Every structure is written in C-alpha cells, then in structure tokens.
Amino acid sequence: MQIQLETQPYSSLEADALVTYVFDRDDKFGGVLADINVAMGGRLSALAASGELTGNALELVLIHFPQGLAAQRLLLVGAGKPGKFVTSDLRKIVGTALRHLKSRGVKKLVFLTREGEQGPAAAQAVVEGLVTADFETDKYRTEKKNREIQSVSLAGFDSGLGANLTAAIDHGSVMGESRNFARDLINEPSNRLTPRILAAKAEVMAKEVGLGIEILDERKIAELKMGALLGVAQGSVEPPRVIVLRYVPEHERPGGPVLGLVGKAVTFDTGGISIKPANNMEKMKYDMGGGGTMLGAMRALAFLKPSVSVIAVIPSTENMPGGRAQKPGDVQVAMSGKTIEIINTDAEGRLILADGITYARKLGCTHLIDAATLTGAIEVALANVHVGAFGTPREYLDKFLESAKAAGENMWPMPIDEEYEEMIKSHIADIRNTGSGKGGGASTGAWFIKEFAEDTPWIHLDIASTCWVDEGRPWLAKGPTGVAIRSIVDFALKL
Ligand code: BES
Ligand code: ZN
Ligand code: ZN
C-alpha cells in the first residue's frame, strides 16, 4: 500500500473512493462537506433528514457515483460528538473505512481530512490507522481473497507544513509497520516459530534497522545460571534462547537512564506437566506476545531514536510436558539466587521473566517494563478491554499510564499490596510460583515478578486478554492486536 500527500483539489482526484468524516452535530455539513453537499445538490442534507446519516461514531454511509467528485464513491464515516473527538480517533475512522472498502474490492482511495485536523498529529494518526488496518492473518491460506488497497492519497492537509508533515507520515508508518511486525510474529504457529526461529527473526530485524543484538543459547543460559528459565525449557526438545537487543542514542548520557524491556516469549504453552485442557489450547501459540511486543517496540525505537538507551531482554522457550519436564514440587534456583518452589508448571511466564529481569538489571537497566501474556485472571478482571498495568513506585506507573492515554491504549492500574506477598510464600523455598488461597491471580503473578525487579522502578503489563482478539474490530483484523507497543514507544520517547 502506497501512501502519498496530495496537493491537487480533492474533487478532481480520480479514485475508487473518497473517504471523509462527519460529526454528530446539528450543523453537520460545514467546511469542505458544505461544498460536497452543494455539488451533490443537497443529497447529504436529505440523507441526514431521513436519519440515514447521523455522524454516530463509525457509522458508514457509502454513496456511489457522487456528483461533483471525480472519485467513484464517497464514503462518509461517523466521527461522533465533536466534544468527545480526539485526533487519535482518526486511526479508527480511517481503519474502518479501509477495511470496509477493501472488502468491496476498492484499490485506490483518497482520504480527505477536515478543518482543524490538517497538521502533523492528524497525518500521523491517519497513516498509522491505515497501515494497522491493512494487516490480515490469511498468510497461510492458499486461496487469498486477492483484495488489496494499492494506494491512498491524503488530501486536505496543510501542505505549508512541509517537512513536519512528511516526518509525521514517516512516524505513523513506522508505528503501524512495527506493530504489524509484532502481529505477524504473534500470529505464527509454534511449529514455525520456535525460540530459535524467533531469535533468527529478531536478528534479521535488528540488522535491518541498526540495533545491536546478542542471542544467548542454551550453553550461555546455563553458564549464567538462569535456573528458572532452564526449568521451564527442560521439558522440551527445543532449546531456549534469550534475545538481547540494544538501542544506543547518538549522544549517550553517561549515568543516564537505561530502559529495560523484558518480554515473555513462550512460543507454545501446553502448561507442562500441569497440562492445560485441549479446548482453546491452539491459542497458546500467542504466549510469546510479550516478546513480540518488545520486538515491535524496539523496531519502532530504532527509527524514532529516543534520547535514552534501551535494552530489550526476551527469554524464549516452549513449555512442554516432556520426559525431562519439571514437576510440581520441584525447586529451581533462579539467576538471582532466589529459590522457587514450582507448584504449577503452567505458571511458567513469571519464571522466565524472573531470569529475564535479573539479566536486564545485570546489564545496567535502571528502569524496567515487562510485557507478558501472564494470567487468565486478568481476563476475569478486565475482559479484553484493558491491559492490566502493575508497577512500583506508583509515580513511575502513573507516568506510564499517561503515555498509554496519549497513545490511546486502554490500560488499568492494578494492585500489588503487600498482602499478595503472603500468598506466594513457600515453606520449602524462598517463594512459590503460584498464589496460595483464592483469587488475586494477576496480582500474585505480578508480585512474583516484583521479587526480581527488587527496588528498580518497574512496570508489568499483563496482556493475556488484550494481545489477541477473537472478534475483529471494524478497524482491526481479528487475531494479534499489537497492544502496548504504542504506549511503550511513547514512554521511551519521553523518558
Ligand atoms: N499463558 C498463560 C496465561 C494465558 C491464559 C495467556 C489465557 C493467554 C490466555 C500462563 O502461562 C498461565 O497458564 N497462567 C496460569 C497461571 C496459574 C497456573 C497460576 C493461569 O492463568 O491459569
Ligand atoms: Zn502457562
Ligand atoms: Zn504462559
């Protein structure tokens, strides 16, 4: 899909469709829509009077052969009440339009922005929305629908802004493409994405975008005494890997903050000896979603160049019930030296994160964010609406939540009070890998990880219920969402 800025008058642009948006207010047809309405002999007013065109959020009205326009179709997308509208809503508006028109065989479209949304922020949101919406999960279908949006022209933007506008368009496409890079990984089946393959793909990406990369193999992992990761990996014939990516800013500040991004990358989670039920087990290919998220974020940061150093540490393994698999009751010694009583082998994510976080701190990370498809409990709490966000100190978490808000991603602060610590105490070892007592599964999981972050400012994002959606959205294909990447990137750029 090619995206370009257009300076010709929108009405003369030949395309399969021209897309613009309508607010839900009494005077719907102001500015550029007034001109379109006049050229169409007042047909838009008539549609509004009949109740077919209201401007309700994401309502679609498709008009064929619109008078006065060179485009074959006019698609009007509802933008909701103007008081509630924010620029980032443009992502959903263009995404919804793109998916609607793509399914109807449209190849070439023009997006016409409205008064007040003609600057770089709007252009960035539009481009990001288009690229994200264009992603499909039909990679392994031999009979493709053969529907493709070939080109999108952006009309109505303030071309006087020149370089700012082009930079915003680049930013938008980097974000969209990095998110799609992560989504493609998350969508891969586990026979095509083992820890070794994930590491190889990370290596190709790192070389392409100019990031430093180091892959720790099973020997190096053993040398580093990552006993928690090895405990999970020992049940599989596939060896584990730890992927380490580095971004160093051009003017690195000695003693400045180093952001550590730690992502859970279990390429398949059977549960191990505490095996999962068969129903829905195929979904556990996306248990590397946290690692995919961090790879997507690093790819974006390589282009957007924050002024802080960033290191990603991605422990990757399968969780299998092989003959050598760890068993409930086993005790593992983590890299930090803490001993862990394994109560349930299905609580493996926190084990590999424990060593990932210890290693990130050893590499000098002063601030941490982890992302993981960690618990089913987060779905009980927040459905697929919000990412569960844990963290200490509270100000650090709040700062991150501001980035989530700026990025337009739903995240909700979750509790990790000291009472949860009681629930992971063990009689046999230092800690146990699941909570005793009832409930609070997302919080006990978070507390377990916190034991390894110790006093380093740390955020934990439980994306188990938001990293994958079973039902598509009008602006997003069903499957991998790429959630949290935008917030993490925004946070790194502001740190
Ligand atoms: N990978 C799962 C969590 C998960 C569940 C991700 C559903 C995506 C969708 C994780 O490793 C797990 O199995 N967690 C257990 C922990 C429990 C044994 C304490 C869970 O949530 O049931
Ligand atoms: Zn599990
Ligand atoms: Zn898991």
Side-chain angles (χ1 to χ4, degrees):
M1 178 173 58
Q2 269 202 356
I3 302 177
Q4 62 275 329
L5 263 181
E6 188 53 72
T7 48
Q8 297 290 101
Y10 67 87
S11 56
S12 67
L13 296 173
E14 291 191 6
D16 299 319
L18 179 111
V19 177
T20 192
Y21 48 104
V22 189
F23 287 102
D24 176 8
R25 65 176 161 215
D26 292 340
D27 171 27
K28 286 190 177 49
F29 308 115
V32 74
L33 269 188
D35 301 341
I36 296 179
N37 192 24
V38 168
M40 291 176 68
R43 263 176 76 191
L44 298 185
S45 303
L47 282 170
S50 73
E52 205 175 323
L53 195 164
T54 66
N56 276 344
L58 303 184
E59 168 196 81
L60 296 174
V61 176
L62 183 62
I63 299 161
H64 291 267
F65 309 114
Q67 240 177 308
L69 295 179
Q72 300 276 306
R73 302 168 182 81
L74 170 65
L75 178 63
L76 298 171
V77 187
K81 299 259 184 240
K84 280 180 87 182
F85 179 86
V86 287
T87 299
S88 69
D89 290 343
L90 287 173
R91 288 186 290 128
K92 290 182 183 168
I93 289 174
V94 296
T96 302
L98 180 140
R99 296 190 68 74
H100 188 76
L101 293 170
K102 193 180 182 182
S103 70
R104 281 158 183 78
V106 162
K107 302 219 172 314
K108 189 167 181 241
L109 61 90
V110 176
F111 176 74
L112 172 62
T113 194
R114 299 286 310 272
E115 309 67 38
E117 298 295 338
Q118 291 157 319
Q124 184 186 323
V126 166
V127 173
E128 202 181 307
L130 289 167
V131 175
T132 315
D134 200 31
F135 178 87
E136 306 289 352
T137 53
D138 60 356
K139 183 169 173 181
Y140 292 113
R141 286 165 94 163
T142 52
E143 265 176 51
K144 300 251 195 284
K145 290 201 183 120
N146 214 8
R147 284 172 175 160
E148 189 196 348
I149 301 282
Q150 289 166 350
S151 100
V152 183
S153 300
L154 307 181
F157 286 91
D158 183 355
S159 52
L161 295 168
N164 282 344
L165 214 49
T166 1
I169 290 174
D170 288 347
H171 189 141
S173 61
V174 160
M175 283 312 301
E177 280 159 13
S178 298
R179 202 167 145 185
N180 290 350
F181 172 78
R183 291 164 83 197
D184 182 53
L185 291 174
I186 295 168
N187 190 49
E188 283 292 286
S190 73
N191 63 333
R192 295 174 178 276
L193 195 82
T194 60
R196 282 184 291 177
I197 300 175
L198 180 64
K201 284 183 189 260
E203 203 159 6
V204 171
M205 182 275 281
K207 298 254 153 77
E208 252 170 38
V209 304
L211 291 169
I213 182 151
E214 194 189 350
I215 308 290
L216 313 186
D217 63 11
E218 63 274 32
R219 273 182 40 205
K220 184 78 192 165
I221 292 170
E223 230 174 84
L224 288 165
K225 299 196 166 65
M226 294 185 169
L229 169 60
L230 285 171
V232 177
Q234 74 190 46
S236 171
V237 293
E238 285 292 338
R241 290 289 181 267
V242 176
I243 303 162
V244 184
L245 291 168
R246 271 175 206 269
Y247 163 80
V248 184
E250 206 182 329
H251 304 289
E252 197 181 14
R253 283 174 283 163
V258 180
L259 179 62
L261 304 179
V262 183
K264 166 179 174 183
V266 173
T267 57
F268 197 83
D269 182 10
T270 65
I273 295 300
S274 316
I275 200 160
K276 287 180 182 293
N279 205 12
N280 283 329
M281 206 206 268
E282 75 283 358
K283 296 263 182 61
M284 283 301 110
K285 68 173 186 176
Y286 79 74
D287 211 21
M288 39 59 68
T293 301
M294 294 320 190
L295 288 172
M298 287 303 281
R299 184 187 182 280
L301 290 173
F303 286 102
L304 302 176
K305 307 206 182 306
S307 56
V308 291
S309 297
V310 189
I311 301 179
V313 176
I314 300 165
S316 183
T317 177
E318 288 187 334
N319 187 23
M320 296 287 284
R324 288 184 188 280
Q326 66 178 348
K327 301 170 281 300
D330 287 1
V331 173
Q332 307 289 12
V333 186
M335 183 186 182
S336 74
K338 276 208 166 84
T339 56
I340 306 165
E341 183 188 8
I342 308 297
I343 302 296
N344 187 319
T345 64
D346 196 11
E348 84 298 342
R350 60 199 74 183
L351 296 171
I352 74 169
L353 288 175
D355 285 343
I357 281 185
T358 303
Y359 191 59
R361 292 178 66 214
K362 193 181 154 202
L363 293 178
C365 294
T366 58
H367 294 73
L368 294 167
I369 303 176
D370 82 65
T373 46
L374 203 80
T375 67
I378 204 68
E379 185 172 12
V380 177
L382 303 173
N384 61 11
V385 179
H386 286 90
V387 169
F390 302 78
T392 60
R394 181 63 205 221
E395 306 79 65
Y396 181 59
L397 175 62
D398 285 343
K399 201 157 171 253
F400 185 81
L401 291 172
E402 274 169 33
S403 279
K405 196 164 175 208
E409 290 188 310
N410 284 343
M411 301 212 178
W412 201 256
M414 296 288 291
I416 32 170
D417 300 56
E418 273 162 21
E419 284 84 342
Y420 296 106
E421 183 184 12
E422 286 304 311
M423 301 184 188
I424 57 162
K425 283 202 169 135
S426 164
H427 295 296
I428 305 292
D430 296 337
I431 43 175
R432 39 188 280 153
N433 81 329
T434 62
S436 58
K438 266 196 198 154
S443 291
T444 48
W447 191 287
F448 183 97
I449 301 168
K450 181 179 174 296
E451 289 281 338
F452 298 86
E454 295 185 20
D455 52 3
T456 306
W458 156 80
I459 287 154
H460 159 60
L461 303 174
D462 194 335
I463 57 169
S465 58
T466 44
C467 156
W468 184 278
V469 286
D470 289 328
E471 274 166 41
R473 312 264 164 84
W475 59 91
L476 196 80
K478 65 176 162 201
T481 61
V483 75
I485 297 178
R486 310 179 65 248
S487 306
I488 293 169
V489 169
D490 185 272
F491 185 75
L493 290 173
K494 289 176 181 163
L495 192 67

